[in-house]
């Protein structure tokens, strides 16, 4: 249309166009399996609408002054009418600017993509296109803008849980009031993949909302139970387990980044179930978390983010294959902080899944809080475990040395908390020495006192030929330290087959004869650290071949059964009699197994059993 038309003629033409559009809609409904003719007719009507818009622009530019104002008002009415025609167009049409951003969509586009009215306006249309065809779409868009020649090609659109194979037609438009040309994108579906079961349009009924709330609470409860499992607290597996649960229940991809050494490090990546572990997974694992604007913002500000539709491909940062969001077909993103800054959780859904909601964000933020608590607890347990290991190493030898003329074995069982039992075997002048005992108390202070006594006995044995003198000097040192703790101890020096024992408030050792007879040594004395003048009990023994000396801690005798009865020396004697003639390693194991059965597996205090057999 080259000549300006009158306003009456323009109004008549618009009326005719509206009638033809209504007929096209009826034809589209009546013949859904024959899209070709409908598309061709729709494009022809779209071209007519463009001509009418051009005529309206000419009319608006005519006659300045009052006449111009009158014509302007009339032109505005015509533009409003044309907009109504556009909205009622029977095929999906979107108006894009030169950058591919949606400026306007009609009702058919909204219906096809399942999005709320106006939701797509202001968003990038190429992000609706399947990742594998996105570059081709942008090339076609650029060509149409530069040459003015329409382009028609097949593509795939994905949004709100639907996937559509469409015939896309791009046409350049010059719109009144727009300084830059625009593009009309007509999309006629040739194949529609419905949403997966359970992935439909949002159901806002009260019953559905209650079911969804219950489901989220269930996921939260399952996560809590998972993080409280002993393995999750004692080993660094809780984060990976939580990520797998979230991937199964909420997202396609789950990415966890933790702060380690002052910087974000990628710690867990869970891909979609049907996605092979390959190059794409490694691409996500190797991407730098700190390069993601969304992740760094959530970490710094503390508030989570939800992007119903990814309209910025840089949100997840770059990767070796381009923007990471594009590489993994991110359609919707959710990001929440872990704890008070321990890290960030990121969930991704593809374009063919419904977007994340604020309710999903609340759930992941709650899980992030729980993860933070679990990580801090795990770190605390690991720290205490390292301290406990160090304390145990200071009071318990890793292995026992060979004692000429004897076989030796020992067993150590930690209690419910770090205690203070010790034992040791070490060389002395002209023979070997051994020691066993424990400070009265628990915790680091008691263990440090026991370590001091153990180390003192070992050190003094270099100069002292009598274990009793070594025990007395350790007592003097302990009293002078003013720790306020006392230590029950038993030390012995072995020369040939002779053993000289010094007891400071310790339980007597058990001497097992080859015939199964068991008798106990004198034991006794006063624990170390009570008085500057030590009161010890000294005893001399000579072990013949086959005799066995068994030493044990307070924790063994004080173990109790379900009735509260103590294990005691009589039961120990019975077990030792049954193991007569057996190797020390078998004896100490038999004692521990019997105690375990007696106490129903409960252990309160540390247990030490050491045996020496003359050979």
């Amino acid at each position: 249309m080259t000549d300006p038309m009158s306003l009456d003629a323009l109004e008549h033409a618009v009326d005719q166009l509206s009638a033809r559009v209504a007929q096209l809609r009826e034809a589209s409904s009546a013949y859904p399996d024959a899209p070709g003719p409908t598309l061709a007719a729709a494009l022809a009507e779209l071209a007519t609408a463009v001509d009418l818009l051009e005529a309206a622009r000419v009319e608006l530019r005519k006659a300045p002054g009052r006449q111009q104002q009158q014509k302007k008002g009339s032109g505005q009415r015509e533009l409003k009418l044309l907009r109504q025609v556009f909205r009622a167009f029977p095929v999906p049409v979107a108006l894009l600017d030169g950058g591919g951003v949606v400026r306007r969509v009609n009702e058919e586009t909204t219906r096809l993509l399942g999005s709320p009215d106006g939701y797509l306006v202001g968003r990038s249309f190429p992000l609706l296109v399947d990742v594998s065809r996105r570059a081709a779409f942008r090339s076609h868009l650029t060509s149409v803008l530069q040459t003015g020649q329409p382009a028609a090609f097949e593509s795939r659109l994905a949004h709100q849980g639907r996937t559509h194979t469409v015939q896309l037609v791009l046409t350049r438009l010059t719109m009144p009031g727009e300084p830059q040309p625009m593009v009309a994108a007509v999309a006629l579906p040739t194949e529609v993949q419905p949403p997966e079961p359970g992935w439909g349009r949002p159901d806002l009924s009260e019953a559905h909302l209650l079911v969804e709330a219950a489901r989220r609470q269930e996921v939260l409860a399952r996560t809590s139970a998972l993080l409280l499992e002993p393995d999750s607290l004692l080993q660094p597996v809780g984060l990976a387990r939580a990520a797998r649960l979230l991937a199964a229940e909420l997202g396609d991809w789950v990415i966890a980044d933790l702060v380690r050494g002052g910087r974000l490090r990628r710690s867990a990546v869970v891909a979609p179930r049907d996605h092979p572990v390959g190059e794409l997974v490694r691409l996500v694992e190797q991407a730098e978390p700190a390069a993601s604007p969304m992740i760094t913002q959530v970490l710094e500000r503390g508030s989570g983010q939800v992007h119903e539709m990814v309209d910025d491909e840089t949100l997840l940062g770059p990767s070796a294959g381009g923007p990471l969001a594009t590489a993994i077909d991110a359609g919707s993103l959710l990001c929440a902080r872990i704890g008070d800054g321990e890290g960030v959780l990121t969930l991704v859904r593809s374009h063919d899944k419904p977007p994340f909601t604020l309710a999903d964000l609340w759930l992941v933020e709650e899980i992030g809080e729980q993860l933070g608590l679990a990580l801090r607890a795990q770190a605390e347990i690991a720290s205490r475990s390292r301290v406990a290991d160090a304390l145990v190493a200071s009071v318990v030898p890793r292995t026992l040395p060979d004692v000429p003329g004897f076989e030796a074995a020992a067993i150590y069982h930690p209690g419910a908390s770090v205690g203070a039992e010790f034992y040791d075997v070490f060389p002395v002048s002209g023979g070997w020495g051994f020691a066993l005992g424990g400070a009265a108390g628990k915790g680091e202070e008691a263990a440090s006192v026991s370590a001091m006594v153990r180390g003192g006995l070992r050190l003094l044995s270099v100069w002292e030929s009598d274990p009793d003198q070594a025990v007395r000097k350790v007592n003097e040192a302990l009293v002078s330290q003013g720790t306020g703790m006392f230590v029950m101890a038993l030390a012995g020096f072995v020369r040939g087959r002779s053993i000289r024992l010094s007891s400071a408030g310790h339980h007597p050792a058990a001497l097992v004869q080859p015939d199964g007879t068991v008798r106990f040594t004198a034991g006794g004395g006063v624990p170390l650290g009570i008085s500057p003048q030590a009161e010890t009990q000294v005893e001399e023994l000579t072990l013949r071949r086959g005799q066995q000396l068994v030493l044990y801690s307070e924790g063994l005798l004080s173990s109790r059964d379900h009735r509260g009865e103590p294990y005691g020396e009589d039961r120990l004697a019975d077990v030792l009699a049954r193991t007569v003639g057996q190797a020390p390693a078998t004896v100490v194991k038999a004692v521990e197994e019997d105690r375990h059965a007696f106490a129903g597996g409960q252990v309160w205090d540390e247990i030490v059993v050491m045996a020496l057999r003359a050979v």
Side-chain angles (χ1 to χ4, degrees):
M1 182 179 298
T2 57
D3 297 328
M5 67 168 63
S6 67
L7 290 179
D8 291 340
L10 180 60
E11 185 173 357
H12 178 70
V14 169
D15 290 340
Q16 289 183 322
L17 176 61
S18 299
R20 291 197 299 273
V21 166
Q23 293 171 357
L24 273 174
R25 180 177 292 279
E26 293 177 2
S28 176
S29 301
Y31 304 101
D33 297 330
T38 303
L39 176 60
L43 289 175
E45 299 304 341
L46 184 60
T48 301
V50 171
D51 290 339
L52 291 175
L53 287 172
E54 179 63 26
R57 182 175 64 174
V58 171
E59 291 297 326
L60 287 172
R61 289 178 176 176
K62 290 169 57 178
R66 184 174 180 181
Q67 182 181 5
Q68 182 181 12
Q69 293 298 326
Q70 293 174 345
K71 291 182 179 290
K72 180 179 180 180
S74 178
Q76 290 293 340
R77 289 193 300 272
E78 304 306 331
L79 288 175
K80 183 178 180 180
L81 181 59
L82 286 175
R83 283 196 293 268
Q84 292 175 347
V85 171
F86 169 77
R87 290 184 60 82
F89 219 60
V91 292
V93 182
L95 294 182
L96 317 178
D97 64 16
V101 175
V102 178
R103 298 293 297 276
R104 190 176 294 276
V105 295
N106 66 347
E107 293 177 356
E108 193 67 17
T109 304
T110 297
R111 186 194 64 78
L112 174 72
L113 297 179
S115 59
D117 189 28
Y119 178 79
L120 294 174
V121 175
R123 302 182 184 273
S124 177
F125 188 85
L127 294 179
L128 298 173
V129 179
D130 185 78
V131 174
S132 63
R133 310 184 189 190
R134 200 169 290 171
F137 175 86
R138 287 197 170 102
S139 297
H140 284 300
L141 180 66
T142 301
S143 174
V144 169
L145 285 168
Q146 290 178 350
T147 66
Q149 297 298 315
F153 53 95
E154 186 177 86
S155 189
R156 293 182 66 215
L157 303 180
H159 186 57
Q160 294 287 346
R162 294 178 173 86
T163 300
H164 316 270
T165 301
V166 300
Q167 186 71 19
L168 266 179
V169 179
L170 304 182
T171 305
R172 189 176 72 179
L173 301 176
T174 302
M175 302 293 291
E178 293 290 341
Q180 301 295 330
M182 301 181 70
V183 172
V186 179
L188 193 66
T190 59
E191 179 184 345
V192 176
Q193 177 183 333
E196 295 180 7
W199 294 96
R201 299 192 67 170
D203 183 354
L204 300 180
S205 66
E206 184 175 348
H208 176 78
L209 293 177
L210 287 174
V211 170
E212 285 297 297
R215 185 183 69 85
R216 292 188 180 93
Q217 289 294 338
E218 180 188 4
V219 173
L220 188 60
R222 288 171 60 190
T223 305
S224 301
L226 181 152
L227 294 176
L228 290 174
E229 290 178 357
D231 286 350
S232 296
L233 290 174
L234 298 177
Q235 303 178 35
V237 298
L239 180 66
R241 290 177 175 177
R244 287 195 294 270
L245 176 60
L246 286 173
E249 298 293 338
L250 286 179
D252 294 324
W253 291 84
V254 176
I255 304 168
D257 301 307
L258 296 181
V259 177
R260 293 287 183 263
R263 58 170 292 190
L264 270 173
R265 299 179 186 274
R266 189 130 293 170
S267 301
V269 174
V270 181
R273 292 179 179 179
D274 57 351
H275 192 86
V277 178
E279 190 63 31
L280 189 54
V281 176
R282 287 190 290 271
L283 198 70
V284 178
E285 292 174 338
Q286 294 167 5
E288 177 58 51
S292 164
M294 179 179 67
I295 292 175
T296 54
Q297 286 177 11
V298 169
L299 183 65
E300 293 170 1
R301 300 174 184 175
S303 57
Q305 294 185 17
V306 59
H307 295 265
E308 294 182 357
M309 178 177 175
V310 178
D311 50 9
D312 181 357
E313 294 175 290
T314 67
L315 281 174
L316 289 180
S319 71
L324 186 59
T326 302
I328 62 176
D329 189 27
S332 182
L333 293 176
L334 187 153
C335 197
R337 192 163 72 167
I338 297 175
D340 292 330
E342 283 82 0
V344 176
L345 270 176
T346 304
L347 276 66
V348 182
R349 281 181 185 167
S350 60
H351 282 83
D352 58 353
K353 299 290 178 61
F356 289 112
T357 65
L358 289 176
D360 295 325
L361 177 61
W362 169 85
L363 173 60
V364 178
E365 285 181 328
E366 288 293 315
I367 291 175
E369 287 293 328
Q370 292 188 3
L371 269 174
L373 292 172
L375 290 172
R376 289 195 292 274
Q378 185 187 90
E380 181 69 19
I381 291 172
S383 175
R384 291 185 179 184
S385 178
R386 288 192 293 270
V387 171
D389 290 344
L391 290 173
V392 170
S394 70
V395 295
V396 175
R398 292 184 178 179
T399 58
L400 294 181
D402 293 332
V403 180
F406 290 86
E407 290 179 346
I411 189 169
Y412 170 83
H413 199 301
S417 60
V418 177
E421 295 290 340
F422 69 89
Y423 72 93
D424 200 2
V425 177
F426 45 85
V428 300
S429 177
W432 288 86
F434 59 84
L436 185 144
K442 296 183 182 300
E444 297 178 12
E445 185 179 5
S448 65
V449 170
S450 289
M452 182 181 72
V453 172
R454 177 199 178 204
L457 290 173
R458 175 183 276 263
L459 180 64
L460 289 169
S461 67
V462 176
W463 293 283
E464 299 294 341
S465 60
D466 185 352
D468 192 56
Q469 290 300 313
V471 169
R472 290 176 178 274
K473 289 185 177 180
V474 167
N475 178 70
E476 293 176 10
L478 188 58
V479 171
S480 66
Q481 289 292 320
T483 63
M485 288 191 174
F486 61 88
V487 179
M488 296 181 292
L490 177 66
F493 284 4
V494 182
R495 292 183 175 91
R497 292 192 180 277
S498 297
I499 300 177
R500 181 173 173 81
L501 294 173
S502 175
S503 174
H506 202 275
H507 291 288
L511 182 61
V512 184
Q513 307 291 346
D515 62 0
T517 303
V518 179
R519 76 173 181 84
F520 290 90
T521 61
V526 176
L528 305 177
I530 294 178
S531 171
Q533 299 297 322
E535 297 182 26
T536 58
Q537 182 71 40
V538 179
E539 188 172 359
E540 295 272 357
L541 300 173
T542 299
L543 263 64
R544 300 187 304 273
R545 183 186 297 274
Q547 288 184 316
Q548 193 155 202
L549 189 67
V550 178
L551 303 94
Y552 48 89
S553 66
E554 165 66 19
L556 174 67
L557 296 186
S558 63
S559 294
R560 297 182 181 275
D561 62 11
H562 67 281
R563 296 187 301 271
E565 297 293 328
Y567 187 79
E569 291 180 349
D570 291 342
R571 188 179 181 96
L572 173 61
D574 289 341
V575 176
L576 295 178
R578 294 198 301 269
T579 59
V580 65
Q582 298 184 10
T586 303
V587 172
V588 298
K589 185 177 180 181
V591 172
E592 164 55 14
E593 289 177 348
D594 185 71
R595 187 220 64 84
H596 186 275
F598 174 81
Q602 296 295 320
V603 181
W604 291 273
D605 296 326
E606 292 167 293
I607 296 168
V608 176
V609 183
M610 185 167 67
L612 291 169
R613 185 175 72 163
V615 294

